[in-house]
């Protein structure tokens, strides 16, 4: 077994799982990164993955791999940067256990992340969200499941991983109704449920079975839905909803779009950003600021407030001398 094999096994078993208690999603993301990297490096040097050395994963190989992700695999810059973050984490771990590789490690750690433009978030209007939910066929078991799932998704803003992991025991439908979830960063939070959502879940839970440990939205086999399954059913119902709401045809509706929709509905309702951040499980309100930038109606209202008041008779605004301090700052 090479030093690289030993370090990689220690990185996953000791650092990620034992020390950091990383989530299954994080472990899977890091695992996929190194499977792709080791396969790429094996092709480059002509040796099996278990025969690779630390020198085989030098900065030139890593840089070529990152280029391969974008050029050959069609990955986005964000995905490329996520893969690089996983690689950096491993090399930082290796730096304390393989000091003789300091030069190789330092060069890899110096590879910069790519800067990327932040796209304006996509979300559904209230009418589009309602059309999507109503497009489900409530005459069938899967249709009623999807109806409840989409309603909960739009009204809670849960991540798709949180939605599929939710169990019957996580739902509290009495006074102070809420849905408990174990979210990103291994943090627990409770999300309030509206009266219509409570009514839908009260009808759905007896039908799907009241086993408290079972998934709230199971597959036909009773297992948890996968992310792909949720994306597939969402695509299906979006297509059906387009007939009643044509504006949906111009939108790429993904599970994360529903999370953005929740945030925008809360924002339009006048909910403070700090509350929305807690609702969605954001680390800080800085992440939540993206919804302000996406909301054109709020920008238009702000612009209207900046428009000078017009005199009713002459149509000319009354002159007002500028504040000295504000005038000084404005001229800087």
């Amino acid at each position: 077994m090479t030093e690289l094999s030993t370090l990689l096994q220690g990185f996953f078993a000791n650092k990620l799982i034992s020390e950091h208690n990383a989530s299954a999603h994080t472990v899977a993301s890091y695992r996929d990164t190194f499977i792709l990297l080791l396969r790429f490096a094996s092709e480059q040097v002509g040796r099996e993955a278990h025969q690779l050395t630390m020198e085989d994963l030098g900065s030139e190989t890593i840089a070529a791999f990152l280029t391969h992700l974008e050029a050959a695999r069609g990955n986005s810059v964000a995905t490329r940067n996520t893969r690089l973050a996983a690689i950096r984490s491993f090399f930082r771990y290796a730096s304390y256990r393989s000091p003789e590789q300091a030069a190789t490690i330092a060069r890899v750690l110096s590879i910069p992340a790519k800067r990327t433009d932040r796209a304006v978030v996509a979300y559904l209007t209230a009418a589009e969200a309602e059309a999507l939910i109503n497009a489900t066929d409530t005459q069938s078991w899967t249709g009623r499941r999807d109806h409840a799932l989409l309603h909960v998704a739009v009204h809670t803003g849960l991540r798709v991983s949180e939605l599929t992991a939710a169990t019957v025991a996580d739902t509290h439908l009495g006074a102070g109704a809420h849905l408990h979830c174990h979210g990103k960063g291994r943090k627990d939070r409770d999300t309030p449920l509206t009266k219509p959502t409570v009514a839908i879940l009260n009808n759905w839970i007896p039908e799907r079975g009241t086993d408290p440990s079972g998934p709230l939205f199971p597959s036909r086999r009773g297992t948890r839905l996968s992310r792909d399954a949720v994306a597939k059913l969402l695509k299906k119902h979006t297509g059906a909803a387009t007939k009643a709401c044509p504006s949906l045809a111009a939108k790429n509706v993904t599970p994360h779009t529903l999370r953005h929709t929740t945030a925008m509905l809360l924002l339009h309702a006048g909910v403070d950003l700090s509350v929305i951040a807690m609702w969605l499980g954001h680390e800080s309100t800085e992440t939540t600021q993206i919804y302000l930038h996406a909301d054109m109606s709020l920008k238009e209202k702000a612009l209207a407030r900046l428009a000078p008041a017009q005199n009713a008779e002459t149509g000319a605004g009354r002159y007002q001398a500028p504040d000295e301090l504000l005038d000084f700052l404005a001229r800087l």
Side-chain angles (χ1 to χ4, degrees), residues 131-132 134-136 234-245 248:
L132 174 62
N134 291 337
T136 54
L234 184 55
K235 182 178 181 180
K236 169 188 171 182
H237 298 309
T238 301
T242 301
K243 299 174 183 177
C245 187
L248 281 168

Side-chain angles (χ1 to χ4, degrees), residues 79-143:
T79 299
R80 179 257 192 205
N81 288 343
T82 298
R83 300 298 188 200
L84 176 58
I87 294 169
R88 282 177 170 174
S89 182
F90 165 69
F91 274 85
R92 282 192 293 270
Y93 169 85
S95 67
Y96 295 102
R97 291 158 180 79
S98 184
E100 66 276 8
Q101 300 291 342
T104 298
I105 293 171
R107 285 192 291 270
V108 171
L109 292 177
S110 69
I111 298 174
K114 267 193 175 182
R115 298 188 64 176
T116 178
D117 295 330
R118 172 173 285 182
V120 176
V121 296
Y123 63 95
L124 305 183
T125 64
E128 290 169 340
E130 183 178 3
L132 174 62
I133 295 171
N134 291 337
T136 54
D137 176 17
T138 54
Q139 299 303 308
S140 67
W141 183 90
T142 53

Side-chain angles (χ1 to χ4, degrees), residues 15-75:
K15 181 179 179 180
L16 286 186
I17 299 174
S18 297
E19 296 177 13
H20 286 196
N21 194 25
S23 68
H25 178 75
T26 298
V27 173
S29 176
Y30 278 49
R31 174 205 64 204
D32 293 346
T33 294
F34 280 95
I35 288 175
L36 291 171
L37 174 59
L38 293 176
R39 286 175 177 170
F40 176 82
S42 293
E43 292 178 1
Q44 296 294 303
V45 301
R47 291 199 300 275
E48 297 293 328
H50 69 275
Q51 298 174 324
L52 296 174
T53 65
M54 287 292 289
E55 290 81 359
D56 292 327
L57 298 187
S59 58
E60 292 184 0
T61 300
I62 301 299
F65 170 67
L66 296 174
T67 300
H68 166 76
L69 290 178
E70 292 185 80
R73 294 183 61 85
N75 290 164

Side-chain angles (χ1 to χ4, degrees), residues 306 320-332:
L306 291 175
Q320 186 176 12
D323 180 277
E324 292 182 4
L325 177 56
L326 294 179
D327 185 53
F328 164 74
L329 293 174
R331 288 185 283 105
L332 290 178

